[in-house]
Amino acid sequence: MDAATQAPANTGHPRRWAILGVLVISLLVVVLDNTVLNVAMRTIADPVHGLGASQSELEWSINSYTLVFAGLLFTAGILADRLGRRITLTVGLVLFGIASLVSAYADTPDQLIWARALMGLGAAAVMPSTLSIIANVFDPRERAKAIGVWAGAVGLGVAIGPIVGGLLLEHYWWGSVFLINVPIVVLGVVLVNVLIPESRDPRPGRIDFVGVALSIIGLTLLTYGVIEGGESGFGQLQSSGTLLASAVVLAAFVLYERRVEFPSLDVRLFANRQFSASTAMIGLVFFAAMGAMFTSAFYLQLVRGYGPLASGALFVPFALGQLVFAPRSAAMVKRFGPKAVSTTGLLLVAAGLAGWIFIGESTPIWVVGALFFVMGVGMANVMPPATEAIMAALPREKAGVGSAVSNTIRQVGGALGVAALGAVISSYYRSGVESSTTGLPAAAKHVADESISGAYGVAAQAGPAGQALIQHANDAFITAMHYSAIGSAVFAVLGAAVAFVWLPGKRPATAPVPSTAESLAEEQGVELVDV
């Protein structure tokens, strides 16, 4: 074969596939833990078998992790580029392991909340490091396939977390859902330092202290405002005021980054329509999907009466859809183009979410599993091409920043989805159940009106009248769930519209596939500078 027609040499690391396996292990422990906790909530609230945590304390045991994680993701990506991705990943895993050990043996809800915040700090260092290492050890021609495997691992963690949690809670005490992280972290730290080469930005420039501080403050305020809005309502000053402050700080961040010589994030990248569309798609699909999955957990465990293990098993089809189709998304994009693949994926997610509009108290449970599978297949064809587009818009030495952008958008989108759709559920549930709680004492009525979990707790103390209250609560919750499903599906359709309008179609067979910031910038007419 003529040398001119030979394919360029593969620039990937010789051990890149083994490295990917190690990164998947590191990623799984973080994603899995975030879903394991959901099935342990009722046990942790038990004063005998758990910590006797109140509803507010339970919420903050989840939210403290989310707040720190989302607030520091971007900063962790910057530090990984500057200090080294392997050392950042190692430190993150160690912090996560220590915090898991403290969480497992917490004696009070407050101790658990602070330990979970430390876990969020460790996770913020782990998540962007895994994706940025992929960008550095894989040739651009293989990177999309590797990111597909990475995205499949995220889906696997989301699905197997409730199963692992259910198994542990059936045989051990509540702390075991955290303790299981420790041996996985130890194995991960060893493998990371044996197999993964160190990489960093060779020309980092000066540290953008002001930009870093503004990003931490802005993202923390945004996440807190979303959390508070989900708990107390977005009309309350504590939520709306915080969200307004976050908008001001993040706007200041953008303006500052446009003017500084060495910005943490070159915001001119957002002038690239493929980069902007991909980040919007990730935010919208996680807004829709995470809100729906949060709702489905209550439906399965309360309305349908499934235990933690059985309800967790119903998430397996979601993981299966991602595991099977995510690694194949790169080939689909090559054949049909990112516009067709991403639009189809988002429409599948919308179809899976819209199916919940027709779910009732006695719907055959296989229908629920089928809807989860459709959602998994859809997300498998959204996340890999969107993530690859974001990573391709930056040179390898800036991979940590690209990874941080992707993961920050996903985390904030998911938190917004849980908060906003949770508020929809609360509003419609409350209006539907109030007529059946008028005869209850004031304190009991307040608890029953707040959530379906509260209604079940009140019903357990109400004797023969409890069954009627449960039926009314179930009916009100299912109606609220239907309205939430409509909202979720609308946001997924909006994401499909973004993909259809702004993502490129199939490229001619002879056209080179852009894989660097420079080629994408040239395509969109954007001038990029080394940051």
Side-chain angles (χ1 to χ4, degrees), residues 84 193 494 515:
N193 286 276
L494 181 59
S515 58

Side-chain angles (χ1 to χ4, degrees), residues 308-335:
L309 179 58
S311 61
L314 286 165
F315 286 95
V316 170
F318 177 83
L320 187 62
Q322 293 210 48
L323 284 173
V324 172
F325 288 92
R328 291 169 170 79
S329 65
M332 298 294 288
V333 169
K334 184 176 180 180
R335 182 174 180 181

